[in-house]
């Protein structure tokens, strides 16, 4: 019964009118994603399907006050649910203080229905100031693939289907001293009442966006970092660096450094190239035993890379005005010279309808433990996605 | 990423419509100047537009609102389609930013992205960047009178000055005698071949100016293709404070 009610709510919301009145706006998308996973092409495939619905809702209560909500509903069925122990817990996890905003509506042998509000906040803003309270996304990234400055909700480059990312339960105050500068303070609390608090100052100088940030992350670290976005001649140049020092035994310990930097360029025929490198001194402490360890590890900013040094090259090109092709390759020396190749094709099938196919082809080695040596692993994932936006 | 970049060109397109130019005068030049002033010679502007790319097998549309002030401040908000809705672009001087509401991120755009054309539309980079002036960068010759778009028009041939930042070998314009509307423009390459034709229609009074509200761009070698721009509304010389063109305001546009 509970399931039916939820499903009714869900379907009603899917067909909400795309455009509301001026003061109330609702929009979002419905995606269908088919995932196939296999080691070798002729080995048994694991297949999973997902109906993924998102609804963004905003209510402009007055010129300065707004209420914003983002709801994410997923119906997942297939082999992953049936065969991976702990899969439901893993994908339904909500690390926020308001963890009740995520609910598992139904969990059966082969299917799960999940719903979550990943945005739910009130914002007061005027031309030079804003304060936001509630569940919100705080995105401090500047680089393309790896963002050591993005300490509130770290992002995995591989998680392409959830670009919005989970929100943080936080209070955030922003002051805008000029047209391209911001002083940003945020305090977030997670479900274990751990507090992450940090400040950032971003400004524009010498044709660059420059930012400096500092803060504390739970009871774990003190952090300080900087980031930039600008250009070298006509080539875009972005990067971020952050230092994390343990709060415990402050004087006797050494910290962690994560740095990323990248270049990007678009040719006149719209061919776009991104190259990025990253260094993460924390990787030595991760010691993953398998690709799924990395893929599904709860993301913290110190776990954003899959290797001590990481390299990424991405090329994208519109082969037709409606078809965009891209190929990204990530090189991971720490995983026995491992790599992830990520080809994709996206077809704009209508003004609001997109069909895409992409793959993540992983090959690498993992150290099991000190005596057993290394084990090599090959995992291929292919995603077919239909997206209707409204 | 690609699509995001493509949106930039709109800003330039808008700028090309509303930017002020310096002037000089003569007979055919005087006509061109008056036609140019229809759109330009203003301090600030606000508009609501639709752009459609039409091909035999498909059609794509984008709608956007734009604001501009003087030569170096502009802001654009995408209002359609749903996937791109809410994305905003800010231009201040030579720098540009893109606000992506879905990922709550402000992206500074590198210079190489700004000169890209738009999603297979029939606008060339030169149209969009439009750093040349049809008044000062060309020599004008009155070729006669002809009917175009249902109006009696002057036919004026424009040849670019040698050092002008122009890709065309020649432009011919049909400009109405009463309202100085550019009903038709033909663009020729340096070898004298027709590259594309622009046709204006649906003349309306908007913010006390009589202007065409529909512009079609048809490439000469692909007659079954076109790009159509429709101006839904436009306001000239509205009071906008410089502080309107800010990163903070990109998030607040609606």
């Amino acid at each position: 019964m509970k399931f039916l009610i939820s499903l009714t709510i869900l379907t009603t919301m899917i067909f909400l009118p795309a455009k509301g009145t001026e003061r109330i706006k609702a929009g979002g998308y419905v995606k269908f994603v088919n995932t196939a996973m296999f080691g070798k092409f002729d080995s048994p495939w694991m297949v999973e399907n997902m109906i993924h619905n998102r609804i963004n809702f905003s209510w402009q209560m007055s010129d300065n006050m707004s209420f914003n909500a983002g709801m994410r509903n997923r119906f997942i069925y297939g082999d992953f649910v049936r065969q991976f122990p702990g899969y439901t817990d893993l994908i339904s996890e909500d690390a926020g203080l308001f963890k009740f905003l995520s609910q598992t509506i139904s969990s059966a042998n082969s299917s799960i229905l999940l719903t979550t509000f990943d945005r739910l906040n009130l914002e007061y803003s005027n031309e030079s100031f804003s304060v936001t309270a509630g569940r919100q996304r705080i995105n401090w990234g500047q680089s393309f693939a790896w963002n050591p400055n993005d300490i509130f909700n770290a992002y995995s480059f591989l998680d392409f289907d959830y670009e919005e990312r989970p929100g943080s339960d936080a209070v955030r105050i922003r002051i805008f001293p000029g047209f391209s500068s911001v002083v940003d303070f945020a305090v977030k609390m997670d479900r274990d009442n751990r507090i992450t608090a940090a400040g950032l100052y971003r400004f524009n100088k010498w044709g660059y966006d420059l930012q400096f940030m500092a803060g504390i992350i739970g009871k774990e670290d003190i952090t300080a970092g900087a980031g930039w976005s600008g250009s070298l001649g006509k080539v875009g140049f972005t990067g971020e660096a952050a230092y994390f020092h343990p709060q415990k035994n402050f004087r006797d310990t050494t910290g962690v450094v994560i740095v990323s930097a990248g270049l990007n360029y678009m040719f006149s025929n719209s061919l776009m190239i991104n190259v990025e490198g990253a260094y993460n001194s924390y990787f030595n402490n991760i010691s993953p035993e398998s690709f799924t360890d990395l893929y599904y590890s709860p993301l913290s900013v110190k776990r954003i890379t899959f290797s001590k040094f990481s390299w990424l090259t991405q090329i994208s090109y519109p082969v037709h005005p409606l078809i965009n092709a891209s190929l990204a390759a990530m090189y991971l020396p720490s995983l026995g010279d491992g790599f992830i190749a990520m080809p994709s094709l996206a077809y704009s099938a209508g003004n609001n309808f997109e069909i895409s196919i992409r793959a993540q082809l992983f090959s690498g080695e993992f150290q099991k433990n000190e005596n057993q040596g290394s084990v090599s692993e090959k995992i291929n994932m292919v995603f077919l996605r239909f997206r209707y936006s409204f | 990423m690609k699509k995001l970049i493509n949106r930039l060109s709109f800003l330039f397109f808008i700028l090309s419509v509303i930017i002020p130019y310096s002037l000089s005068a003569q007979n055919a030049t005087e006509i061109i100047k008056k036609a140019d002033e229809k759109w330009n010679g203003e301090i600030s502007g606000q508009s609501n537009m639709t752009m459609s790319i039409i091909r035999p097998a498909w059609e794509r549309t984008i709608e956007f609102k734009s604001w501009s002030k003087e030569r170096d401040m502009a802001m654009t908000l995408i209002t359609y389609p749903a996937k791109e809705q809410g994305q905003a672009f800010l231009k201040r001087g030579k720098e540009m930013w893109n606000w992506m509401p879905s990922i709550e991120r402000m992206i500074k755009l590198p210079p190489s992205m700004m000169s890209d054309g738009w999603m297979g539309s029939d606008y060339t980079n030169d149209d969009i960047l439009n750093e040349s002036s049809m008044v000062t960068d060309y020599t004008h010759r009155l070729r006669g009178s002809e009917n175009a778009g249902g109006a009696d028009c002057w036919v004026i041939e424009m040849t670019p000055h040698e050092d002008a930042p122009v890709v065309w070998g020649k432009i011919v314009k049909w400009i109405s005698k009463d309202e100085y509307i550019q009903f038709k423009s033909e663009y020729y390459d340096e070898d004298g071949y027709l590259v594309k034709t622009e046709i204006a229609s649906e003349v309306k009074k908007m913010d006390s100016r009589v202007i065409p509200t529909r512009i079609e761009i048809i490439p000469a070698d692909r007659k079954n293709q076109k790009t159509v721009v429709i101006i839904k509304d436009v306001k000239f010389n509205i009071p906008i404070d410089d502080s309107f063109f800010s990163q903070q305001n990109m998030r607040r546009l609606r």
Side-chain angles (χ1 to χ4, degrees):
Chain A
M1 193 58 204
K2 191 174 154 194
F3 171 78
L4 276 177
I5 293 166
S6 311
L7 204 66
T8 317
I9 296 170
L10 206 147
T11 41
T12 325
M13 297 200 72
I14 289 170
F15 296 108
L16 260 182
K19 277 175 189 159
T21 60
E22 282 286 309
R23 295 230 164 245
I24 291 176
K25 272 188 180 166
Y29 54 71
V30 185
K31 293 170 184 168
F32 174 81
V33 188
N34 171 275
T35 306
M37 189 169 99
F38 50 89
K40 283 182 191 153
F41 193 71
D42 64 353
S43 63
W45 290 23
M46 304 265 283
V47 177
E48 184 190 62
N49 295 294
M50 171 164 70
I51 297 165
H52 182 177
N53 157 241
R54 181 175 191 84
I55 294 149
N56 297 315
F57 173 85
S58 81
W59 175 27
Q60 194 68 37
M61 291 178 273
S62 72
D63 282 352
N64 301 110
M65 281 298 289
S66 65
F67 167 78
N68 307 289
M71 188 192 195
R72 184 186 192 216
N73 303 301
R74 284 175 297 165
F75 181 66
I76 301 166
Y77 58 98
D79 297 337
F80 295 7
V81 182
R82 190 164 52 237
Q83 293 186 23
F84 289 151
Y87 185 71
T88 304
D89 294 340
L90 195 67
I91 60 166
S92 62
E93 195 180 36
D94 188 326
L97 176 67
F98 307 131
K99 60 183 178 194
F100 59 86
L101 291 173
S102 293
Q103 294 291 334
T104 304
I105 292 169
S106 130
S107 175
N109 194 22
S110 297
S111 74
I112 335 165
L113 178 63
L114 302 167
T115 182
T116 179
F117 281 93
D118 57 11
R119 302 286 186 277
L120 196 67
N121 61 66
L122 271 174
E123 177 168 318
Y124 172 87
S125 74
N126 61 34
E127 292 211 338
S128 60
F129 173 79
S130 80
V131 55
T132 315
R135 187 162 275 198
Q136 58 189 296
R137 171 92 195 261
I138 300 164
N139 188 342
W140 286 355
Q142 294 281 347
S143 293
F144 175 64
W146 297 289
N147 302 115
N149 285 182
D150 193 14
I151 57 173
F152 284 92
N153 38 18
Y155 180 84
S156 164
F157 187 75
L158 300 184
D159 194 0
F160 68 92
D161 195 47
Y162 189 24
E163 56 176 14
E164 295 86 3
R165 303 298 301 151
S168 299
D169 296 324
V171 175
R172 183 184 195 186
I173 296 168
R174 277 175 284 187
I175 300 157
F176 303 88
F179 74 87
S180 63
S181 56
V182 60
V183 179
D184 198 341
F185 292 105
V187 181
K188 141 185 159 176
M189 196 181 263
D190 71 7
R191 64 179 167 200
D192 304 316
N193 296 331
R194 281 181 310 195
I195 288 173
T196 296
L200 172 133
Y201 176 45
R202 194 178 69 230
F203 56 98
N204 181 253
K205 189 95 183 160
W206 309 298
Y208 273 70
D209 277 1
L210 300 171
Q211 67 184 32
F212 294 94
M213 67 96 183
I216 54 160
I217 301 175
K219 293 190 171 99
E220 223 179 301
D221 288 309
I222 290 172
T223 180
W228 70 89
S229 248
S231 56
L232 300 167
K234 288 213 149 190
V235 178
F237 178 43
T238 60
E240 288 170 48
Y243 175 73
F244 303 87
H245 196 101
Q247 292 169 21
K248 280 179 194 161
N249 307 321
F250 190 82
R251 283 171 189 281
D252 310 325
T253 50
T254 53
V256 164
V257 175
I258 309 174
V259 184
S260 69
L263 301 171
N264 59 69
Y265 189 78
M266 184 187 269
F267 293 90
S268 56
N269 63 357
S270 295
L271 176 81
M272 171 100 194
I273 297 185
N274 268 290
V275 180
E276 192 163 310
Y279 168 77
N280 180 358
S281 71
Y282 186 74
F283 188 78
N284 294 342
N285 309 350
I286 297 176
S287 57
E289 294 200 350
S290 71
F291 183 62
T292 35
D293 269 11
L294 288 172
Y295 203 87
Y296 289 111
S297 73
L299 266 173
S300 83
V301 64
K302 290 195 284 186
R303 290 170 169 268
I304 51 174
T305 72
F306 292 172
S307 177
K308 190 167 187 175
F309 286 92
S310 310
W311 301 97
L312 177 90
T313 303
Q314 188 189 48
I315 299 171
S316 82
Y317 180 66
V319 291
H320 177 271
L322 299 181
I323 301 171
N324 197 60
S326 84
L327 176 65
M330 205 182 266
Y331 171 52
L332 309 163
S334 304
L335 304 182
D337 287 331
F339 68 85
I340 308 172
M342 292 165 274
S344 84
L345 271 181
Y347 167 56
S348 166
N351 276 323
N352 290 314
F353 187 47
E354 186 189 79
I355 301 168
S356 63
I357 184 158
R358 71 179 71 215
Q360 296 177 344
L361 314 170
F362 170 79
S363 172
E365 275 178 19
F366 295 92
Q367 295 289 332
K368 279 295 176 191
N369 55 48
E370 278 164 34
N371 308 323
Q372 285 178 295
S374 63
V375 174
S376 68
E377 196 172 308
K378 273 191 170 50
I379 289 181
N380 303 303
M381 293 170 103
V382 181
F383 309 89
L384 174 65
R385 185 171 84 174
F386 300 86
R387 172 182 169 139
Y388 173 72
S389 307
F390 55 86
Chain B
M1 195 67 185
K2 178 67 191 82
K3 277 189 186 157
L4 168 172
I5 306 320
N6 289 324
R7 304 301 184 244
L8 302 180
S9 334
F10 292 125
L11 266 183
F12 294 115
F13 173 71
I14 299 315
L15 285 174
S16 74
V17 169
I18 299 163
I19 279 171
Y21 292 118
S22 61
L23 308 166
S24 75
Q26 254 178 30
N27 195 3
T29 306
E30 195 64 35
I31 297 165
I32 289 288
K33 200 171 118 183
K34 286 205 164 130
D36 194 41
E37 278 169 4
K38 273 275 175 207
W39 298 104
N40 307 318
E42 296 305 340
I43 294 162
S44 65
Q46 184 194 326
S47 61
N48 233 317
M49 295 195 195
T50 296
M51 184 187 251
S52 303
I53 302 171
I54 298 165
R55 296 288 179 268
W58 53 271
E59 191 177 322
R60 290 290 176 279
T61 298
I62 183 158
E63 292 178 20
F64 50 99
K65 282 186 190 175
S66 285
W67 297 260
S68 70
K69 187 175 179 183
E70 289 155 8
R71 211 185 170 106
D72 57 353
M73 282 178 263
M75 196 126 82
T76 296
L77 173 73
I78 313 274
T79 55
Y80 181 89
K83 196 184 168 196
E84 274 82 20
Q85 191 187 359
Q87 272 202 54
F89 294 93
L90 168 70
K91 182 180 190 285
R92 292 280 299 232
K94 285 184 174 158
E95 292 180 274
M96 267 181 93
W97 290 270
N98 169 218
W99 166 248
M100 302 268 290
S102 62
I103 59 169
E104 310 252 335
R105 183 158 161 183
M106 190 70 70
I107 297 166
K108 187 172 191 304
L109 295 163
S112 67
M113 290 186 189
M114 294 188 218
S115 54
D116 189 44
W118 184 64
M119 210 175 158
S121 81
D122 300 303
Y123 274 97
T124 64
N125 287 347
D126 184 66
D127 296 323
I128 288 158
L129 291 164
N130 207 345
E131 272 157 0
S132 62
S133 154
M134 68 183 225
V135 177
T136 57
D137 286 326
Y138 293 85
T139 307
H140 313 101
R141 188 172 68 85
L142 189 59
R143 226 166 64 172
S145 295
E146 245 175 61
N147 192 297
D152 189 18
C153 292
W154 302 110
V155 184
I156 292 173
E157 192 174 298
M158 300 167 47
T159 323
H161 298 153
E162 262 184 31
D163 55 347
V166 172
V167 297
W168 309 113
K170 181 178 80 176
I171 302 173
V172 183
K173 283 190 184 278
W174 282 254
I175 297 170
S176 71
K177 290 179 180 174
D178 54 349
E179 288 287 351
Y180 296 94
I181 289 166
Q182 305 171 44
F183 274 106
K184 187 173 159 189
S185 306
E186 288 178 347
Y187 294 81
Y188 293 85
D189 67 12
E190 283 164 345
D191 301 320
Y193 289 103
L194 179 66
V195 177
K196 60 164 189 173
T197 308
E198 278 182 26
I199 294 170
S201 59
E202 293 180 26
V203 174
K204 283 178 194 164
K205 196 166 186 176
M206 281 193 173
D207 200 32
S208 76
R209 290 182 196 209
V210 179
I211 54 167
T213 60
R214 181 186 168 94
I215 297 160
E216 283 189 15
I217 302 98
I218 304 155
D221 55 345
R222 285 154 292 161
K223 291 251 190 296
N224 52 1
Q225 301 192 0
K226 61 185 171 186
T227 299
V228 179
V229 175
I230 292 168
I231 300 162
K232 296 206 282 191
D233 60 69
V234 59
K235 288 185 188 114
F236 298 101
N237 282 330
I238 48 162
I240 319 180
D241 202 73
D242 283 9
S243 68
F244 177 86
F245 300 92
S246 71
Q247 292 184 356
Q248 158 71 337
N249 221 23
M250 290 168 87
R251 300 168 55 246
R252 288 160 49 83
L253 292 176
R254 64 195 89 251

